[in-house]
Amino acid sequence: MGHELDVRGLSCGLFPPDGFVSVSRDRTARLWAPGGINRGFTEVHCMSGHSNFVSCVCIIPPSDLYPRGLIATGGNDHNICIFTVDSPTPLYVLKGHKNTVCSLSSGKFGTLLSGSWDTTAKVWLNDKCMMTLQGHTAAVWAVKILPEQGLMLTGSADKTIKLWKAGRCERTFTGHEDCVRGLAILSETEFLSCANDASIRRWQVSDFVTTGEDRTLRIWKQGECAQTIRLPAQSVWCCCVLDNGDIVVGASDGIIRVFTESLERIASADEIQAFENELSQATIDPKTGDLGDINADDLPGREHLKDPGTRDGQTRLIKDGGKVEAYQWSVSEGRWVKIGDVVGSSGATQQTSGRVLYEGKEYDFVFTIDVNESGPSYKLPYNMNDDPWLTAYNFLQKNDLNPMFLDQVAKFIIDNTKGQTLGNTNAEFSDPFTGAGRYVPGSLSGSDAVPAADPFTGAGRYVPGSASNTVASLSVVDPFTGNGAYHSGAAKAENIYFPKKEAVTFDQANPTQILGKLKELNGSVSDEQKLTEDDLILLEKILSITCNSSAETPTAQQLQVLWKAVNWPEDVVFPALDILRLSIRHPRVHENFCSEKDSIQFSSHLLKFLNPKGKQANQLLALRTLCNCFVSQAGQKLMMSQRDTIMSQAIELKLCGNKNIHVALATLTLNYAVCLHKINNIEGKAQCLSVISTIMEVVQDLEAIFRLLVALGTLISDDTNAVQLAKSLGVDSQIKKYASVSEPAKVNECCRFVLNLL
């Protein structure tokens, strides 16, 4: 007895032992301890602080500062009150919700999650709001933190439950037919929900792996089969997932196989080839039920493979020349992959099928390319319906070969496939991304042919911080340490990686090639947008001024022409974006585009190019331009004022397969981290940490990973709140695997320094 109105919430207390806390519509919270009459409970004290009824309560675990923990209450006054167990008045009040706070949950390191009738959930660390979780369309009635994984759950009156990681919705659970009112954690991987539909449901949080007697290993994500891996054995009996994420599989052929996503642990080329050969020669017995009953006479022909599959791992049978072949749909590749010949059809094998298996896929050709006499050979797979220019570009990218070989490799493909190409492959106008002309290193000036040329800019792999407009080789001064190549024995005692003090920029280019491409594409735009000869001279001048550290200042007329070129159609604008990327570093150009007068128009225009469905060349150069905006104060102010919009749009490019874009995205995040470290903006740091965590999940390029690690270290340096927030998001467990990367050594060294802070 004690409350005067409805009791709306209860929570087990940590102190006194076996006690609890209650909250009520009478606007109070009360702490109770055992020891009353007839084994009852006695009120320790009554806590007041809300101006309206109190609807929820939770206990925040003990810390060094508050060894007895804290009590958090949420109310109809939109506020959250934080109490110590010894005081009837709030220690502090959390304000930010716009309607009733109806649910609370606490996690590690003082993290608090709140749900509200305003349709949002908020993440709090001590007395500050770290991030707002937006996505529900009705009141958030229930919240729970899964502390071990850094995951958060929200249940809503919109009948859904959402799973959040690092501030982003990773999965939505549907099934309830009315408002979700409560959540309960069963384990690290399971939870319960209850709803106004009078049902309680049990859910699985984590992704999982299954094996079966259909010869497959299946990887399930978000409740759906994300990947199917066929094995050359009839039954795949068992599997387990190692701590590093590798999957171990045991099969009826007596062989244990380990599958990994890590480039560090991938099998040798000979082992992979042996597996592919074994798989391609496998035969499938229709009597096993693996593929169902088969009537060869009723099967369609090869034209049946022109229609895409509906799900990953879908199997389709075709009849080809009297034999029956089995194909499996690969969502990641967007095509059908042959998985074997059906026993009893014709006994055909890879040797008689007329196609070549390479890395688990079939191709019309697999060429062996020798780049130089002393170097290794490379395999170049090609199908007749592929674009030879895009195939050549991807081949060079995959093997880190000089893009100056683009013409040579594409011509080799065309010559050796007897010119049997599909579609327009005009060598003169077939940029692999735009369909227009290509930067051809050395085509305009023999002296400009450079090693390791970037396919978009004609420059070498960029060297952040370099003041020279000449192309640097790969053994340049490192942008982060100022030293030469990293060695595994370096930086054992001193952290030379972070906190980063200055922005990282993209400075390298080949002006001659950029101008040559611009002039070439100028002929394809409309008369209204076409640049005159005088305009082209003005652009050449501004490029010369900004690339050669000239004492001259770009004129207003030059800037007007640049803006006109930047507004070219999407298919041909990339050379103009490249000039903008270089020019924005100049104080006069910087002030023109980043000042308050024109800055919003400028940033909005760049953001248009970050559309995930747009041209990758434009995406890359827009990201690099945004990175270069950090060179001076006006640009930093613009970038910080537009942080939410820019980061939310930029992160959508994480799923692209272009490592140059991933490096630019990581650099943009790093530059934001540099600014946030200077001003110590904890909410901005929370957003940046969320972005880092999200990108880390999909990016594999180690240069991009390194820059994300530097960004992470910069964000949490000298900031205990940021350290605690990073821990609560599970970032430490996310980056541990990079501590074992052998090369480049800077990755594991930087990772270890970050882990030391965490």
Side-chain angles (χ1 to χ4, degrees), residues 69 78 112 149 151 173 184 198 253 352 368 501 564:
H78 312 174
L112 182 67
Q149 305 100 308
L151 301 175
F173 300 86
D253 58 2
T352 61
T368 299
K501 302 295 185 181
K564 179 180 178 180

Side-chain angles (χ1 to χ4, degrees), residues 119-159:
T119 76
T120 73
K122 290 183 181 290
V123 183
W124 309 82
L125 182 64
N126 300 326
D127 60 346
K128 296 184 182 297
C129 179
M130 297 292 99
M131 60 183 69
T132 299
L133 310 182
Q134 296 178 306
H136 285 294
T137 57
V140 180
W141 278 107
V143 296
K144 284 293 179 183
I145 293 179
L146 293 161
E148 297 305 320
Q149 305 100 308
L151 301 175
M152 299 178 182
L153 290 166
T154 57
S156 170
D158 63 11
K159 308 176 188 178

Side-chain angles (χ1 to χ4, degrees), residues 36 95 143 177 203 232 255 263 338 357 363 412 515 523 569 673 732:
K95 298 185 177 183
V143 296
E177 298 175 0
W203 307 86
I255 298 176
L263 296 177
K338 185 180 178 184
L357 193 74
Y363 295 90
F412 172 88
L515 286 169
D732 50 345

